[in-house]
């Protein structure tokens, strides 16, 4: 084997292909939510996905998510960035930035989201084993996030970001002044 077709090149090519497949997974998820395609949506997850006290598996996940998707009519999820960190050849973690828009009755709610993901390759397909959504704000498109205390859509809950980042509290410290913190709430 020469340097172009050797084992190191094959390993690197496999890593690039896996990276692209994981990026497509995040987009497949967004498209499935926006299309309300529950089969495609649950198909993004490991067949034995852990749903905590509710149980395990895609059907448990489907029963959990279907009512949540009915809390808004239209949605558009824009994937804006994706960082992947490898945990071996068949596992990875990721951070996905997303701007989501939701039609809720007569309002258009905009959210800045960060997903914290765990991935595994199952039978040659990359899937979520866990997906945790955190957001900076949820506000009607006509409002500034600060004007509504960063939380103007009850199903979204209280924003966990930026305070969930371990480095956030370290950076600001307990007594450091926070510039422009109007409407700032600490979870």
């Amino acid at each position: 084997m020469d340097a172009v077709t050797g084992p190191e090149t094959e390993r690197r090519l496999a890593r690039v292909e896996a990276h692209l497949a994981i990026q497509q997974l995040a987009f497949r998820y967004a498209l499935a939510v926006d299309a309300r395609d529950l089969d495609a949506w649950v198909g993004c997850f490991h067949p034995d996905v852990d749903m905590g006290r509710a149980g395990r598996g895609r059907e448990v996940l489907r029963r959990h998510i279907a009512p949540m998707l009915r809390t808004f009519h239209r949605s558009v999820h824009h994937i804006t960035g994706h960082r992947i960190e490898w945990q071996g050849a068949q596992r990875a973690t990721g951070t996905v930035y997303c701007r989501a828009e939701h039609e809720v009755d007569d309002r258009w709610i905009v959210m800045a989201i960060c997903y914290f993901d765990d991935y595994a390759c199952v039978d040659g397909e990359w899937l979520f084993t866990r997906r945790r959504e955190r957001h900076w704000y949820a506000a009607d498109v006509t409002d500034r996030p600060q004007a509504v205390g960063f939380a103007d859509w009850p199903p979204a809950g209280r924003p966990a970001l930026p305070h969930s980042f371990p480095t956030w509290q370290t950076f600001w410290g307990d007594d450091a002044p926070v510039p422009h913190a109007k409407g700032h709430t600490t979870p």
Side-chain angles (χ1 to χ4, degrees):
M1 285 191 184
D2 60 33
V4 174
T5 60
E8 177 61 17
T9 300
E10 290 176 17
R11 185 192 68 74
R12 291 174 61 204
L13 179 58
R15 179 62 53 94
V16 169
E17 289 174 341
H19 192 95
L20 293 171
I22 292 170
Q23 286 180 321
Q24 286 298 301
L25 176 63
F27 184 73
R28 285 178 24 223
Y29 173 97
L31 188 59
V33 170
D34 295 341
R36 299 307 188 275
D37 185 341
L38 290 178
D39 291 335
W41 192 85
V42 298
C44 292
F45 289 83
H46 192 283
D48 193 38
V49 62
D50 185 354
M51 292 297 298
R53 292 182 180 146
R56 300 182 78 86
R58 289 177 173 165
E59 287 309 309
V60 174
L61 178 61
R62 179 189 302 270
R63 286 191 304 271
H64 173 77
I65 195 62
M68 292 175 69
L69 289 174
R70 293 186 188 284
T71 64
F72 51 94
H73 183 65
R74 276 180 271 254
S75 62
V76 182
H77 287 73
H78 310 270
I79 306 301
T80 61
H82 194 165
R83 180 179 178 195
I84 298 168
E85 296 183 41
W86 298 99
Q87 309 296 317
Q90 303 295 306
R91 295 214 174 262
T93 60
T95 307
V96 179
Y97 272 34
C98 174
R99 178 183 166 95
E101 304 177 25
H102 303 85
E103 181 182 12
V104 181
D105 300 321
D106 63 344
R107 300 182 310 149
W108 194 256
I109 303 296
V110 178
M111 294 178 72
I113 298 172
C114 185
Y115 292 99
F116 297 90
D117 298 333
D118 296 330
Y119 315 105
C121 189
V122 178
D123 297 328
E125 182 180 21
W126 283 94
L127 301 168
F128 296 112
T129 58
R130 186 172 180 194
R131 180 154 242 222
R132 294 168 308 283
E133 183 259 31
R134 303 285 186 265
H135 65 277
W136 280 271
Y137 65 86
D140 187 282
V141 71
T142 61
D143 291 329
R144 292 177 185 244
Q146 298 94 329
V148 295
F150 295 90
D152 191 30
W153 185 29
R158 190 173 185 183
L161 293 176
H163 303 89
S164 292
F165 290 122
T167 52
W168 183 262
Q169 294 300 334
T170 303
F171 178 81
W172 289 109
D174 292 331
D175 55 356
V178 180
H180 311 290
K182 182 179 180 187
H184 170 77
T185 58
T186 302

